[in-house]
């Protein structure tokens, strides 16, 4: 794995929903090195810290990376102002991806802005992927048609029932797991959702990989601020979300740590 | 091309840009972008005699023109540093000065760490008596002249390695601390460590850092650092390594005019990983443009009113 840092041109930009943007940059070297589930640390002009943003799609032929992100504060707002023709200063690809083996039956579970990094799994697995995507309400739903276009069995859930399942992602997850024939679950989203998904997988004895978030500094493993408590060989220690993650085997993560 | 070399405590640096402890790991994290041999030196991640787990996250908060951090010295221990990192650093550095930053809770901790490093091939030791993020030791040594003198004396007796003492700005008179460590045999001082700060999330009334308080770094603290370096320069004869918010070559020149013989950079690389190289290039051009043969010509050359 290797990463790059340069200013890359924005070649496509779309607003997907209120405050949620899709920006594609031309960065052949970074795109060629990227894996599904990795992220990039993107400079927001005027701010000390870069903003970690997950990679939504990798196109190695076109040499592009696509980022889908939500404006959460002033830094992401600055990044959202980048238009076609502008440059984005991108440090990436960073971290470890989902590493989904070929030919596996996978369920991906995404919550809100945790959905984008899972799209690459649908692209890889097609009809062998079931995508359970949870959102607050209909106006926050993103990427569902793209999961479906890649052939994934796509199930949308909303907290308010305005579209799809009325309720949380674990209800359809339980049903899908009960059908059997699942090799792996991959999840990204808010911590309560991740915890619920991990418990469901434990109860059904299905391997689970989770993509985690933490307040981050350098993005490359140097500053050791984006810690999460992990257990390996019976020993507890703080792993770095940026370098050791962001995708972890759920068995290694201590969510109450 | 200008000769950027500087000498500190008898140690030759190919250029005056040193990566600050805590921002650069043990040199292993940025090699995808450029080799560590481009750097004048690396002050490695603060190490303690026993490995430390570090503080509960969140450990970082962004602030206007800076960051607050409270990592709490998560590290693999001095022995781990020597066994796993040091040889690679020396080999890949090709003359880049490798500095071991050492922290401890007790005098015995500092002495034991210094003894291990004494028999290693590390180039220099930087005594961290200024870490604001650990409960025992750390800055508690660095905030009194007696404490700073005691640690310096103990470590001085345990090692012949060139000894830098890193000072905290969270004191009444940093010049008095500088004089105290000089008197006990410090070969150099690095000025400054982070300023103690705090941020609160107004929605849940919780401090953003789990440790409640942490160390402020970045451009926000640069003027404080320049002031501290200048005060120390007027108080001691040993060379000063200036640090605190440097992100451009102009900052580096300013710090040298205040009295720094070399500089350290930390937070700036989070914004721009190439910042150290840009500072080196900028300094070279500045020397050429102004007919400066050696950076030592500008050290302390501020003309106070």
């Amino acid at each position: 794995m290797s990463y790059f840092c340069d200013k890359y041109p924005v070649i496509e930009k779309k607003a997907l929903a209120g405050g949620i943007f899709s920006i594609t940059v031309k960065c052949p070297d970074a795109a060629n090195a990227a894996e599904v589930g990795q992220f990039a640390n993107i400079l927001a002009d005027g701010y000390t810290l870069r903003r970690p943003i997950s990679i939504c799609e990798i196109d190695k032929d076109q040499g592009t990376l696509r980022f889908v992100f939500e404006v959460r504060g002033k830094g992401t707002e600055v990044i959202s102002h980048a238009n076609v023709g502008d440059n984005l200063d991108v440090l990436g690809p960073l971290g470890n991806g989902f590493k989904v083996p070929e030919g596996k039956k996978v369920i991906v579970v995404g919550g809100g802005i945790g959905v984008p990094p899972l799209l690459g799994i649908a692209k890889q697995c097609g009809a062998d992927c079931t995508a359970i995507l949870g959102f607050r309400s209909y106006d926050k739903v993103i990427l569902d048609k793209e999961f479906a276009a890649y052939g994934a069995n796509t199930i949308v859930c909303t907290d308010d029932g305005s579209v799809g399942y009325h309720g949380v992602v674990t209800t359809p997850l339980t049903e899908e797991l009960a059908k059997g024939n699942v090799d792996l679950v991959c999840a990204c989203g808010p911590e309560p959702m991740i915890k619920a998904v991990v418990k469901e997988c434990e109860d059904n004895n299905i391997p689970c990989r989770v993509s985690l978030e933490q307040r981050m500094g350098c993005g490359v493993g140097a500053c050791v601020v984006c810690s999460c408590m992990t257990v390996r060989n019976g020993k507890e220690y703080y792993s770095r979300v940026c370098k050791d993650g962001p995708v972890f085997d759920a068995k290694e993560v201590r969510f109450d740590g | 091309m200008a000769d950027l070399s500087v000498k500190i405590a008898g140690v030759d640096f190919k250029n005056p840009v040193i990566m600050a402890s805590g921002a650069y790991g043990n040199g292993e994290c940025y090699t995808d972008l450029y080799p560590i041999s481009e750097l004048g030196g690396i002050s490695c991640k603060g190490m303690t005699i026993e490995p430390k787990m570090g503080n509960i996250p969140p450990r970082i908060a962004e602030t206007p023109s800076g960051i607050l951090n409270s990592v709490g010295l998560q590290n693999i221990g001095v022995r781990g540093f020597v066994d796993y990192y040091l040889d690679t650093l020396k080999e890949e550095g090709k003359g880049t000065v490798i500095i071991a930053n050492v922290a401890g809770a007790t005098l015995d901790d500092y002495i034991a760490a210094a003894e291990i490093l004494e028999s290693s091939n590390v180039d220099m030791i930087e005594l961290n008596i200024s870490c604001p993020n650990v409960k025992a030791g750390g800055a508690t040594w660095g905030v009194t002249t007696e404490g700073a003198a005691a640690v310096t004396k103990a470590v001085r007796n345990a090692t012949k390695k060139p000894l830098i003492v890193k000072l905290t700005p969270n004191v009444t008179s940093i010049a008095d601390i500088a004089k105290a460590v000089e008197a006990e045999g410090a070969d150099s001082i690095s000025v400054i460590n982070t300023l103690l700060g705090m941020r609160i999330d107004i929605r849940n009334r919780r401090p953003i850092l789990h440790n409640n308080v942490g160390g402020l770094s970045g451009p926000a603290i640069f003027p404080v650092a320049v002031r501290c370096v200048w005060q120390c320069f007027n108080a001691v004869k040993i060379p000063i390594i200036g640090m605190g918010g440097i992100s451009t070559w102009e900052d580096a020149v300013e710090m040298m005019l205040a009295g720094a013989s070399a500089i350290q950079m930390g937070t700036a690389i989070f914004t721009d990983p190439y910042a150290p190289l840009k500072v080196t290039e900028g300094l070279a051009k500045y020397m050429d443009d102004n007919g400066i043969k050696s950076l030592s010509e500008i050290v302390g050359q501020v003309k106070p009113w």
Side-chain angles (χ1 to χ4, degrees):
Chain A
M1 279 184 298
S2 58
Y3 67 84
F4 302 85
C5 183
D6 214 331
K7 292 181 175 67
Y8 299 108
V10 174
I11 59 161
E12 195 179 355
K13 182 189 181 182
K14 280 182 196 160
L16 300 187
I20 300 176
F21 294 90
S22 169
I23 290 182
T24 304
V25 296
K26 183 93 174 171
C27 50
D29 41 12
N32 192 47
E35 292 176 13
V36 175
Q38 287 188 295
F39 70 100
N41 226 0
I42 299 180
L43 186 72
D45 268 332
Y47 290 85
T48 303
L49 294 177
R50 288 165 179 264
R51 273 29 184 192
I53 295 177
S54 62
I55 295 170
C56 174
E57 274 198 278
I58 305 161
D59 188 330
K60 293 185 197 255
D61 296 331
Q62 297 296 315
T64 60
L65 290 177
R66 178 189 184 198
F67 302 97
V68 172
F69 63 97
E70 183 170 27
V71 172
R72 290 277 181 87
K74 289 173 184 157
T76 40
E77 189 181 337
V78 167
I79 295 170
S80 77
H81 292 160
N83 280 313
V84 172
D86 293 340
N87 284 331
L88 268 189
D89 189 326
V90 176
L91 173 67
L94 302 172
N96 293 299
F98 284 105
K99 298 187 195 309
V100 174
E102 292 298 327
K104 298 285 182 191
K105 305 256 187 232
V106 182
I107 298 178
V108 301
V109 186
I113 205 61
V115 166
L118 301 167
L119 183 61
I121 299 174
K123 190 176 182 176
Q124 178 191 326
C125 301
D128 285 338
C129 175
T130 294
I132 304 171
L133 313 175
F135 304 93
R136 282 202 298 277
S137 55
Y138 72 95
D139 54 337
K140 290 289 181 187
V141 175
I142 52 167
L143 302 174
D144 56 323
K145 291 179 183 65
E146 299 192 40
F147 277 85
Y150 283 128
N153 168 30
T154 306
I155 302 162
V156 170
C157 316
T158 49
D159 294 346
D160 65 357
S162 49
V163 67
Y165 258 94
H166 184 184
V168 292
V169 290
T170 35
T171 313
L173 176 62
T174 309
E175 290 169 13
E176 291 298 319
L177 287 173
K179 292 178 188 167
N181 198 22
V182 176
D183 299 312
L184 177 67
V185 172
C186 295
C188 184
E191 193 169 306
M193 184 211 90
I194 296 236
K195 282 182 183 170
V197 170
V198 169
K199 175 151 195 323
E200 200 65 35
C201 291
E202 273 174 6
D203 292 348
N204 288 277
N205 204 22
I206 302 287
C208 179
R209 292 177 193 167
V210 294
S211 180
L212 301 182
E213 277 192 312
Q214 184 52 274
R215 283 175 183 266
M216 203 173 274
C218 66
V220 298
C223 71
V224 212
V225 301
C226 57
S227 314
C228 77
M229 184 56 87
T230 52
V231 184
R232 200 171 288 173
N233 303 323
K235 208 168 162 235
E236 286 189 336
Y237 64 99
Y238 281 120
S239 287
R240 300 161 296 184
V241 171
C242 70
K243 177 93 173 179
D244 305 310
V247 179
F248 291 90
D249 184 331
K251 281 200 178 68
E252 288 183 356
V253 181
R254 262 206 44 195
F255 290 99
D256 50 354
Chain B
M1 169 109 167
D3 176 9
L4 287 161
S5 65
V6 297
K7 191 186 270 266
I8 292 177
V11 179
D12 291 312
F13 289 74
K14 55 183 111 178
N15 68 57
V17 179
I18 304 165
M19 296 317 302
S21 179
Y24 212 68
N26 289 314
E28 78 282 27
C29 296
Y30 283 96
T31 50
D32 282 14
L33 299 184
Y34 49 87
I36 61 169
S37 58
E38 302 263 325
L39 303 163
I42 298 172
S43 182
C44 297
K45 172 67 192 165
M47 57 191 87
T48 47
I49 187 68
E50 297 297 333
K52 268 179 83 78
M53 203 166 208
N55 292 334
I56 297 169
R59 295 174 173 184
I60 191 167
E62 194 170 41
T63 64
S65 292
I67 54 171
L68 272 181
N69 89 82
S70 80
V71 172
L73 287 170
Q74 178 173 343
N75 80 97
I76 59 167
V78 180
R79 191 73 75 182
F81 166 75
V82 171
D83 289 348
Y84 299 120
Y85 290 105
L86 187 51
D87 287 344
T88 308
L89 281 163
K90 292 287 287 183
E91 191 185 321
E92 292 181 1
K94 301 183 176 68
T96 295
V97 175
I98 306 304
I99 303 166
N101 179 288
V102 174
T106 67
L107 279 184
D108 286 342
D109 289 346
Y110 279 102
I111 293 166
E115 284 171 348
I116 292 170
L117 293 165
E118 173 67 7
S119 58
S120 78
N121 60 350
V122 79
D123 296 306
M124 304 178 91
I125 295 173
E126 180 174 57
L127 273 190
N128 181 351
I129 58 169
S130 43
C131 178
N133 295 325
V134 289
K135 285 196 171 56
T140 55
W141 289 106
V143 293
T144 65
T145 51
E146 295 81 7
V151 183
T152 307
K153 184 178 186 179
V155 174
R156 179 74 291 171
N157 288 333
T159 179
K160 292 186 178 59
K161 298 275 186 194
L163 186 60
I164 308 162
V165 181
K166 184 168 180 176
L167 305 187
T168 171
N170 305 314
V171 294
T172 310
S173 170
I174 196 166
D176 288 345
I177 309 277
K179 281 192 239 181
V181 303
E182 181 184 46
E184 294 299 344
D187 298 304
S188 172
I189 49 175
S190 45
V191 179
I192 55 178
N193 206 322
T194 54
L195 284 110
L196 196 61
M198 183 175 188
R199 293 301 302 271
I200 299 166
D201 184 333
I202 62 167
R203 287 163 301 186
N204 60 18
R205 303 188 177 185
R206 288 279 201 186
I208 293 175
L209 299 178
H210 196 278
N211 192 47
N212 297 320
V213 298
L216 181 65
S217 63
I221 73 165
F222 181 64
V224 178
V226 173
R227 181 268 296 176
C228 288
V229 166
W230 184 60
Q231 288 178 329
C232 289
F233 184 76
N234 289 321
V236 298
K237 296 201 165 47
I238 51 177
I240 299 165
I241 300 169
M243 61 191 299
I246 295 171
S247 52
T248 65
W249 68 266
E250 290 96 330
D251 294 342
V253 170
E254 188 172 337
M255 194 60 102
M256 291 182 147
L257 289 171
S261 296
I263 59 119
Q264 291 191 12
M265 294 179 72
T267 305
I269 62 161
F270 300 165
T271 316
D272 179 5
Y274 296 111
L277 308 192
K278 289 176 182 169
V279 168
T280 309
E281 284 164 21
L283 284 175
K285 184 166 188 308
Y286 168 77
M287 291 175 75
D288 288 341
D289 290 350
N290 292 279
I292 295 166
K293 295 271 178 291
S294 165
L295 284 169
S296 61
E297 291 171 33
I298 67 166
V299 175
Q301 293 307 301
V302 57
K303 295 183 271 187
W305 295 101

